[in-house]
């Protein structure tokens, strides 16, 4: 996703992220590529889902690829917070909720709502190295 850097004082709206992302992709990625999956890149769960949804709803340029998610932290943060090392059922419930939300976002059908136990928490880790 094309988003402003974490230290940028101005946050982009999901519509702006969608336009920048699809425009960049349409200029650089061949239509023969079957799909693109996104990592959350330190976005909160809610931001990542809302941006993916907006990208899939964007109509300003062709999108010949399947655009979906491969979120790590933005899929797991609420699960881990709810689980807290003890409550397996709560962790599983959060995982199912996040999977449903992101599945809808991958179709451009997410309408917002329940962000989960850590939905609004930033997943940004300064100087993170893989």
């Amino acid at each position: 996703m094309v988003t402003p850097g974490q230290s940028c004082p101005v946050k982009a709206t999901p519509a702006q992220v969608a336009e920048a992302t699809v425009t960049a992709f349409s200029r650089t990625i061949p239509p023969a590529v079957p799909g693109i999956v996104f990592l959350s890149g330190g976005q909160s769960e809610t931001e990542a889902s809302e941006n993916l949804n907006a990208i899939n709803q964007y109509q300003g340029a062709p999108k010949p690829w399947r655009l979906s998610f491969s979120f790590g932290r933005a899929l797991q943060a609420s699960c881990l917070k709810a689980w807290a090392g003890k409550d397996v059922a709560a962790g599983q419930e959060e995982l199912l909720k996040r999977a449903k939300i992101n599945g809808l976002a991958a179709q451009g059908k997410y309408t917002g709502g329940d962000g989960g136990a850590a939905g609004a928490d930033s997943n940004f880790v300064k100087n993170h190295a893989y």
Side-chain angles (χ1 to χ4, degrees), residues 38-58:
F38 297 97
L39 293 171
S40 58
Q43 299 174 76
S44 73
E45 291 177 342
T46 301
E47 288 173 321
S49 299
E50 289 174 348
N51 288 336
L52 177 61
N53 190 66
I55 289 167
N56 279 296
Q57 289 180 339
Y58 184 72

Side-chain angles (χ1 to χ4, degrees), residues 11-99:
K11 297 295 179 195
T13 66
Q16 292 170 323
V17 170
E19 181 178 7
T21 300
V22 175
T23 299
F25 285 6
S26 66
R27 293 176 179 170
T28 57
I29 300 174
V33 171
I36 301 160
V37 294
F38 297 97
L39 293 171
S40 58
Q43 299 174 76
S44 73
E45 291 177 342
T46 301
E47 288 173 321
S49 299
E50 289 174 348
N51 288 336
L52 177 61
N53 190 66
I55 289 167
N56 279 296
Q57 289 180 339
Y58 184 72
Q59 299 294 316
K63 298 183 305 264
W65 332 271
R66 174 110 170 116
L67 302 169
S68 192
F69 65 96
S70 179
F71 298 157
R73 287 176 279 173
L75 184 63
Q76 300 166 3
S78 285
C79 308
L80 293 171
K81 189 171 188 176
W83 170 56
K86 302 174 229 164
D87 193 343
V88 172
Q92 290 172 333
E93 183 178 330
E94 285 292 331
L95 179 61
L96 289 173
K97 185 187 314 178
R98 294 302 315 153

